[in-house]
Amino acid sequence: MATTRAGSGRVRRRPTRSGVILEPEMIIDAALRLIEAPGGNALTVRRLGVELGADPSAIYRYFRDLDALLIAIADRLIGETLAGFVPGPDWADSLRDMARRVHDSMLRHPRLAQLRAIRFTAGPNELRVDDIGIGLLLSAGFSAPDAVRHFGDFIDAVLALAAMDAAELAPGQEEADKRALAKVYATFPDEDYPHLAAVRPHLRQITASPFPGVLDKLIAALSEAVPRSSH
Amino acid sequence: MATTRAGSGRVRRRPTRSGVILEPEMIIDAALRLIEAPGGNALTVRRLGVELGADPSAIYRYFRDLDALLIAIADRLIGETLAGFVPGPDWADSLRDMARRVHDSMLRHPRLAQLRAIRFTAGPNELRVDDIGIGLLLSAGFSAPDAVRHFGDFIDAVLALAAMDAAELAPGQEEADKRALAKVYATFPDEDYPHLAAVRPHLRQITASPFPGVLDKLIAALSEAVPRSSH
DNA sequence: TACGCTTAGGTCAATGCGTTGACATAAGGA
DNA sequence: TCCTTATGTCAACGCATTGACCTAAGCGTA
């Protein structure tokens, strides 16, 4: 794995002060246990050390830094996301379905979402997503280069918006922000913002997630862009 | 300002150990100086304390935390972004132009980009952007609720993708990631990923920014969604 | 079996980080 | 003059990360 420091022939294991023999999989398991513990976001390197019965710094023998560990966890979760997904006969519906699964899985683990949007995990499951998506666009009638380009745009937008939605869930400050926003939208002076004033009663809906609307727009644009000869 | 801890009637100023009288604007100035210093991302609360000639914790009398300070800085930069922008006769072109300005300004300050995508700054310039954008969609012929909804989708997608692009600039690990990606795309087994194999020669272009492509798709979708009676 | 070498990997101590609670003190109103 | 309190300062917390150290695991050789 690219996320471990040493090569694949790891042999020279030494027991921890408390007698445990560390393994990368053990660390991921323990980290997931902490992440999913009640009270949320209980994962810190130091706590992970306690959970494993090892010095916190031992973790750095297996993962370059905390990000690398989180990416390894994300890689495992991508697989779970894809389990049970079978593309249907309609490419647009299937693409939409896959996007929703990715979005939902990221919202289940907000802390990982940020990383997954930004860093390439280089895991086999990441490739599976790309393979399915590009296959769908090819079946729609796009040429090879267009399928690659359009799917790249599509999946990046999905990941970026999912990360955005996930970030809103994280620290608990969401409510304060939403109230501040509602207040500003209720009190701005009409003369400074004439267009906003014209739509004032509709502004409260702006707090809704942009994900469904953007997904619709992207798929609509892709449907329009399908080469005529394939209709 | 919502970002300061005390009310607007701040009066009881006390000189710092080194004789300086702190002001919110001073702190923002000093922070920008550090952010834009060579070597990048030199902003830390402790260094800011040194720069100001004050104890680092004094900053927390003016901003709830580092995020709040960064948001205040972002608010100032939004204004600079908008300076010189005048909507043209074509709503779609104007929207595209505004989106590009926002995107570019975020890339100039990657550290701020993340926050700006996620947190509402509640500043007057944020409202200016919304006012202009919704005005453009109204002029295109959208109803009030549709203009609000569509613009919300649009601006959130722009911010999310800009944050994504900005994140790629930040830590310097971009190159390693890109090479890892290129390698994976060059070496995956054909039989496991048949669709990817079919487009293999085109995969290298997937490292390009998704922003222009998504922007095109969003504007295309909006153009299609304009009510017929307005054509 | 025994010896010695290399080195993976566990541990320790220290760095700088954001943040907070306790404390001190001066500004300014009464 | 006194009292309230805004705000600067200090010490401390837990955080991620790193470099130095140490020790035993596993190898080659005899």
Side-chain angles (χ1 to χ4, degrees), chain B residues 13-57:
Chain B
R13 313 250 193 63
R14 253 174 87 182
T16 255
R17 170 170 274 278
S18 67
V20 191
I21 303 277
L22 293 180
E23 297 251 22
E25 289 302 311
M26 277 184 56
I27 298 177
I28 296 178
D29 289 343
L32 263 175
R33 237 176 291 137
L34 288 178
I35 281 182
E36 288 171 347
N41 271 10
L43 174 61
T44 70
V45 176
R46 292 165 126 93
R47 264 200 280 250
L48 190 50
V50 174
E51 178 83 13
L52 286 165
D55 189 275
S57 65

Side-chain angles (χ1 to χ4, degrees), chain A residues 196-209:
Chain A
L196 281 183
V199 299
R200 196 192 281 271
H202 305 285
L203 287 178
R204 52 174 185 75
Q205 67 175 264
I206 220 169
T207 57
S209 164

Side-chain angles (χ1 to χ4, degrees), chain B residues 122-145:
Chain B
N125 294 310
E126 183 101 27
L127 281 184
R128 279 271 299 152
V129 172
D130 295 348
D131 187 65
I132 294 172
I134 286 179
L136 288 170
L137 290 189
L138 288 175
S139 80
F142 284 106
S143 70

Side-chain angles (χ1 to χ4, degrees), chain B residues 9 13 30 36 39 57 62 67 91 179 196 222:
Chain B
R13 313 250 193 63
E36 288 171 347
S57 65
Y62 296 86
D67 277 11
W91 67 268
R179 255 177 289 128
L196 280 184
L222 287 176

Side-chain angles (χ1 to χ4, degrees), chain A residues 10 12 14 16-17 54-55 57-58 61-62:
Chain A
R10 182 187 303 280
R12 204 84 84 73
R14 252 174 89 182
T16 254
R17 171 169 275 277
D55 189 276
S57 64
R61 300 289 179 196
Y62 296 85

Side-chain angles (χ1 to χ4, degrees), chain A residues 49-161:
Chain A
V50 175
E51 178 83 11
L52 287 166
D55 189 276
S57 64
I59 291 150
Y60 292 89
R61 300 289 179 196
Y62 296 85
F63 300 94
R64 188 161 26 76
D65 53 18
L66 184 57
D67 275 12
L69 171 57
L70 291 174
I71 285 175
I73 298 170
D75 208 42
R76 178 185 288 187
L77 295 176
I78 294 176
E80 299 176 13
T81 300
L82 246 54
F85 173 71
V86 195
D90 185 283
W91 67 268
D93 287 347
S94 300
L95 208 55
R96 190 190 305 270
D97 185 16
M98 195 170 74
R100 286 214 191 96
R101 281 169 187 264
V102 170
H103 179 262
D104 292 352
S105 86
M106 287 179 77
L107 288 202
R108 261 195 295 283
H109 296 276
R111 175 107 177 247
L112 302 177
Q114 309 264 38
L115 281 160
R116 194 168 150 197
I118 287 157
R119 299 265 195 108
F120 184 66
T121 69
N125 295 310
E126 182 101 26
L127 281 184
R128 280 272 299 150
V129 172
D130 295 349
D131 187 64
I132 294 173
I134 286 178
L136 288 170
L137 289 189
L138 288 175
S139 79
F142 284 105
S143 70
D146 281 353
V148 170
R149 185 167 54 86
H150 287 320
F151 180 73
D153 293 347
F154 180 80
I155 193 66
D156 280 353
V158 167
L159 290 173
L161 281 164

